[in-house]
Amino acid sequence: MTLAPYACQPDQSRGRLYPERMSTFRSPFQRDRDRIIQSSAFRRLKHKTQVFVEHEGDYYRTRLTHTIEVAQVARTIAGTLGLNVELAEAVALAHDLGHPPFGHTGEDALHDLMAPYGGFDHNAQAIRIVTRLERHYADFDGLNLTWETLEGIAKHNGPVIGPHASGSHAVKDGGAMPYALSEFNTEYDLELSTHASAEAQVAAVADDVAYNHHDLHDGLRAGLFTEADLMELPVTGPCFEEVDRLYPDLDPTRRRHEALRRVFGVMVEDVIAVAQNRLTSSEPQSAQAIRDMEGPIIRFSKPLYQNLKAIKSFLFTRMYRAPTVVVERQRVTAMINDLFPLFMRDPALLPAEWRADVAHAVNETELARVVLDYVAGMTDRFAIQEHERLCR
């Protein structure tokens, strides 16, 4: 497949922090993708929360199934736009590696606990994982991913610092940057004040597409709202109406799937159409030209973006802050708030393979960062088991 001029060309990659010989049969970005899939952190996503805690049901999305869905969407969009599919997929597969147990609830708890020690952010933690904590290779810590993949992990949501910084991971100045990202960026400059490649932007939008779609599925399955509720919303309402018109006697399960499949299609088709129009009008001639733009090139149209905001507001009220979900959030927050101080007080409770890191910690901040790495790496069920074992 011939790549567009604004795509990241594999033969023009900026390379890796630790130089390696080129593979004879894989591009640099294919190699990154394969290393991410083979990593321990990727496997742990199987038992990490998306919205519902992992043990609550076998049909709800986990962080792993969410990641696979994001990668699927990213491949479709990137391929249609002439972008590097392997890079878009690699960023998509890695984008949630830094999530702790219990989803955003766990992240909120660790953010508060780490406030005195340099903060916590799951994008920054993903960088720490792929550059340091994965320790399987003889020549280096981490996965030694290409600069382009690391850039995409760090700033697929937008520039982290500088005049164009935007999104939940942006900071006002470099001094406020989460330490995990700041430390690595000092060693290997990811140009955090610019936008990421178009491929990384695709991964970010694919994330939005995937969770907007599957959270509607999961919320219906959990009984937190009904199809009648969705008939009152933009995008979802017209999709249900179309299914009812075409298939008036469809059974409820198929009706739900057909309608939400159309919601999925509306989002993907909108992103592709907007990107094609913007790429045609701006005519970027290199991947760097994409990075240097004042705003993202890959995004929803303004009308659809406003409609999706209405859906997100609905989900926030009816799903993310539903009474049963809030009770569970409180329960798992208490677990994190018990485990982190416990390991700080008695780091000998950490497994033997963590003892060397503890021994190298020369102050409380460094110890807190070791404890964070351990707790953030836990799966939901392991965190629950450890809490039952240590905090009775």
Side-chain angles (χ1 to χ4, degrees), residues 228-251:
D229 294 320
L230 298 189
M231 291 284 288
E232 302 299 318
L233 293 175
V235 184
T236 56
C239 288
F240 273 98
E241 290 171 2
E242 181 182 32
V243 171
D244 289 342
R245 177 174 57 81
L246 295 174
Y247 307 99
D249 298 318
L250 202 59
D251 71 76

Side-chain angles (χ1 to χ4, degrees), residues 118-130:
F120 177 77
D121 172 90
H122 77 258
N123 278 358
Q125 189 67 14
I127 289 290
R128 186 167 171 84
I129 287 169
V130 301

Side-chain angles (χ1 to χ4, degrees), residues 151-174:
E151 175 211 29
I153 296 170
K155 56 181 183 176
H156 59 275
N157 297 114
V160 177
I161 57 175
H164 303 303
S166 61
S168 59
H169 301 273
V171 296
K172 293 181 179 179
D173 61 76

Side-chain angles (χ1 to χ4, degrees), residues 202-275:
V202 162
V205 171
D207 186 22
D208 288 347
V209 170
Y211 75 67
N212 280 326
H213 174 250
H214 62 54
D215 284 0
L216 293 169
H217 263 291
D218 285 353
L220 286 170
R221 176 175 286 278
L224 298 177
F225 45 82
T226 67
E227 285 86 349
D229 294 320
L230 298 189
M231 291 284 288
E232 302 299 318
L233 293 175
V235 184
T236 56
C239 288
F240 273 98
E241 290 171 2
E242 181 182 32
V243 171
D244 289 342
R245 177 174 57 81
L246 295 174
Y247 307 99
D249 298 318
L250 202 59
D251 71 76
T253 300
R254 291 179 189 268
R255 176 178 182 257
R256 173 187 301 179
H257 182 83
E258 281 292 329
L260 294 184
R261 187 167 69 88
R262 283 164 169 74
V263 173
F264 186 92
V266 167
M267 290 187 286
V268 172
E269 290 169 12
D270 180 85
V271 169
I272 290 172
V274 169

Side-chain angles (χ1 to χ4, degrees), residues 121-364:
D121 172 90
H122 77 258
N123 278 358
Q125 189 67 14
I127 289 290
R128 186 167 171 84
I129 287 169
V130 301
T131 61
R132 179 174 176 179
L133 298 181
E134 288 286 329
R135 296 169 181 169
H136 305 296
Y137 295 88
D139 294 326
F140 45 78
D141 286 341
L143 305 180
N144 200 30
L145 304 177
T146 61
W147 185 93
E148 291 79 7
T149 298
L150 293 172
E151 175 211 29
I153 296 170
K155 56 181 183 176
H156 59 275
N157 297 114
V160 177
I161 57 175
H164 303 303
S166 61
S168 59
H169 301 273
V171 296
K172 293 181 179 179
D173 61 76
M177 199 186 311
Y179 80 93
L181 181 55
S182 179
E183 281 186 344
F184 182 73
N185 194 63
T186 299
E187 185 177 13
Y188 200 36
D189 185 8
L190 298 177
E191 300 177 1
L192 297 175
S193 63
T194 68
H195 285 275
S197 65
E199 287 84 355
Q201 294 180 37
V202 162
V205 171
D207 186 22
D208 288 347
V209 170
Y211 75 67
N212 280 326
H213 174 250
H214 62 54
D215 284 0
L216 293 169
H217 263 291
D218 285 353
L220 286 170
R221 176 175 286 278
L224 298 177
F225 45 82
T226 67
E227 285 86 349
D229 294 320
L230 298 189
M231 291 284 288
E232 302 299 318
L233 293 175
V235 184
T236 56
C239 288
F240 273 98
E241 290 171 2
E242 181 182 32
V243 171
D244 289 342
R245 177 174 57 81
L246 295 174
Y247 307 99
D249 298 318
L250 202 59
D251 71 76
T253 300
R254 291 179 189 268
R255 176 178 182 257
R256 173 187 301 179
H257 182 83
E258 281 292 329
L260 294 184
R261 187 167 69 88
R262 283 164 169 74
V263 173
F264 186 92
V266 167
M267 290 187 286
V268 172
E269 290 169 12
D270 180 85
V271 169
I272 290 172
V274 169
Q276 287 174 330
N277 288 336
R278 300 192 74 224
L279 289 165
T280 299
S281 63
S282 58
E283 296 184 328
Q285 294 303 303
S286 68
Q288 190 59 41
I290 298 286
R291 296 186 177 97
D292 292 338
M293 290 182 172
E294 293 188 359
I297 195 80
I298 311 295
R299 62 190 186 190
F300 295 112
S301 66
K302 290 182 179 180
L304 182 60
Y305 179 75
Q306 292 302 317
N307 287 336
L308 293 178
K309 283 181 65 176
I311 293 174
K312 288 180 182 180
S313 178
F314 171 84
L315 288 171
F316 184 86
T317 302
R318 299 293 297 274
M319 184 174 183
Y320 310 142
R321 292 297 181 269
T324 55
V325 175
V326 169
V327 169
E328 188 67 5
R329 281 173 57 89
Q330 294 169 341
R331 186 177 78 92
V332 298
T333 296
M335 291 184 193
I336 298 293
N337 288 337
D338 287 342
L339 288 170
F340 187 92
L342 176 65
F343 292 127
M344 286 292 290
R345 291 192 301 269
D346 189 0
L349 292 172
L350 295 174
E353 58 266 31
W354 289 83
R355 305 284 167 76
D357 290 321
V358 170
H360 287 108
V362 299
N363 54 43
E364 186 177 67

Side-chain angles (χ1 to χ4, degrees), residues 45-57 59-70 95-96 99-106 122 207-208 210-216 218 319-320 325 329 380:
L45 296 178
K46 177 182 179 183
H47 297 293
K48 290 197 176 190
T49 293
Q50 182 61 28
V51 173
F52 298 97
V53 175
E54 180 266 333
H55 69 273
E56 291 185 281
Y59 287 97
Y60 298 123
R61 268 67 172 194
T62 66
R63 192 63 62 176
L64 178 61
T65 59
H66 163 72
T67 295
I68 293 170
E69 291 178 34
V70 174
H95 85 283
D96 270 355
H99 262 291
F102 312 128
H104 289 287
T105 302
H122 77 258
D207 186 22
D208 288 347
Y211 75 67
N212 280 326
H213 174 250
H214 62 54
D215 284 0
L216 293 169
D218 285 353
M319 184 174 183
Y320 310 142
V325 175
R329 281 173 57 89
D380 291 9

